Amino acid sequence: MFDVFYSTKQEGEGSVIGLLIVKQIADKQNGFIWVKSVPGRTVFMVKLSI
């Protein structure tokens, strides 16, 4: 999901590069991204160190 070429969208409907950027920021801040997904509902939690 954090691969720049991974997408569940149809071609031309957007990209997943935003998730890649968020992951890179979290990694640099010693943080993490938590994802929970079930059909019809996906939740992301991002935790960053101060």
Side-chain angles (χ1 to χ4, degrees):
M1 136 177 9
F2 299 106
D3 183 336
V4 73
F5 298 110
Y6 175 86
S7 180
T8 59
K9 296 180 180 181
Q10 297 293 325
E11 189 172 334
E13 289 187 6
S15 68
V16 186
I17 195 158
L19 283 177
L20 177 64
I21 292 169
V22 170
K23 182 173 182 335
Q24 290 172 344
I25 292 169
D27 289 346
K28 286 182 181 180
Q29 297 295 322
N30 295 318
F32 70 89
I33 301 173
W34 176 83
V35 181
K36 182 176 182 180
S37 184
V38 296
R41 180 180 167 102
T42 301
V43 177
F44 288 87
M45 182 173 76
V46 179
K47 184 173 182 178
L48 302 174
S49 299
I50 294 180

